[in-house]
Amino acid sequence: MKVIGLAGWSGAGKTTLLSRIIPHLREQGLRVSVIKHAHHSFDVDVPGKDSWVHRQSGAEEVLVSSGLRWALMHELRGAGEPGLPELLKKMSRVDLVVVEGFKSEPHRKIEVHRAANGKALLFPGDPAIAGLATDTAVETALPVAHLDDIPAIAAMMQRSAISREEVLARRRPES
């Protein structure tokens, strides 16, 4: 199981890019999963539904299952947010896990940068960035692909991906 991240500022187009890359990777026969970091309180459940009521009542975990999918929700209840290594341990084995976000984690990443966003590039300050997907010219020795070149970005992601075990062995820099 290999892991690669997509990192960039909000509004850079990480989710849109990933929604185009996943079908491309699947056409190549790869099984792909995603870990997405949310910076705010989020809910995947609908208030008033049974699973929401169970969580609100204090359940630590609620697993919802149907003939089409299952989802496990785990409430932290004041505990610290788990880091990427802990979350990776919970994932089923696939060929590639794409991590969207988790900018401060030390896993290998492809930076997604959009000029219109007006934000500075991350890569000069993050040695874990292995390449860039951007809509602007960037002077760097790192591999660069245009945001619309899905095959080139997918290939860059596959070349840059590292094993889950290597990610688990890495540690977040101390703050």
Side-chain angles (χ1 to χ4, degrees), residues 3-32:
V3 179
I4 187 66
L6 286 182
W9 298 107
S10 178
K14 297 179 298 293
T15 300
T16 300
L17 180 62
L18 192 50
S19 74
R20 295 175 66 200
I21 289 174
I22 290 171
H24 179 82
L25 293 170
R26 288 189 44 85
E27 286 172 7
Q28 295 179 352
L30 297 177
R31 292 177 310 130
V32 180

Side-chain angles (χ1 to χ4, degrees), residues 11 16 21 28-29 34 36 38 44 52 60 67 72 83 85 90-91 95 105 107 110 116 124 139 158:
T16 300
I21 289 174
Q28 295 179 352
V34 175
K36 163 77 174 138
V44 294
W52 182 87
E60 295 295 319
L72 176 64
K90 298 178 183 307
M91 300 293 290
D95 299 306
E105 294 276 355
H107 64 290
I110 303 300
E139 289 205 24
Q158 288 178 269

Side-chain angles (χ1 to χ4, degrees), residues 34-128:
V34 175
I35 295 179
K36 163 77 174 138
H37 187 256
H39 292 285
H40 44 76
S41 177
F42 71 96
D43 210 332
V44 294
D45 204 3
V46 178
K49 291 289 186 178
D50 292 351
S51 55
W52 182 87
V53 171
H54 300 320
R55 283 191 308 114
Q56 294 302 311
S57 298
E60 295 295 319
E61 292 186 330
V62 176
L63 192 145
V64 181
S65 179
S66 76
L68 298 177
R69 71 187 55 89
W70 65 269
L72 176 64
M73 293 170 280
H74 179 92
E75 291 294 320
L76 292 175
R77 304 276 180 223
E81 180 179 356
L84 181 58
E86 187 176 348
L87 295 172
L88 278 170
K89 290 177 187 176
K90 298 178 183 307
M91 300 293 290
S92 297
R93 286 216 169 260
V94 293
D95 299 306
L96 184 65
V97 175
V98 181
V99 178
E100 185 184 334
F102 288 94
K103 282 192 302 243
S104 63
E105 294 276 355
H107 64 290
R108 196 167 294 157
K109 309 167 195 102
I110 303 300
E111 179 173 356
V112 180
H113 182 264
R114 187 173 302 279
N117 216 11
K119 300 280 189 175
L121 288 159
L122 300 171
F123 87 89
D126 186 347

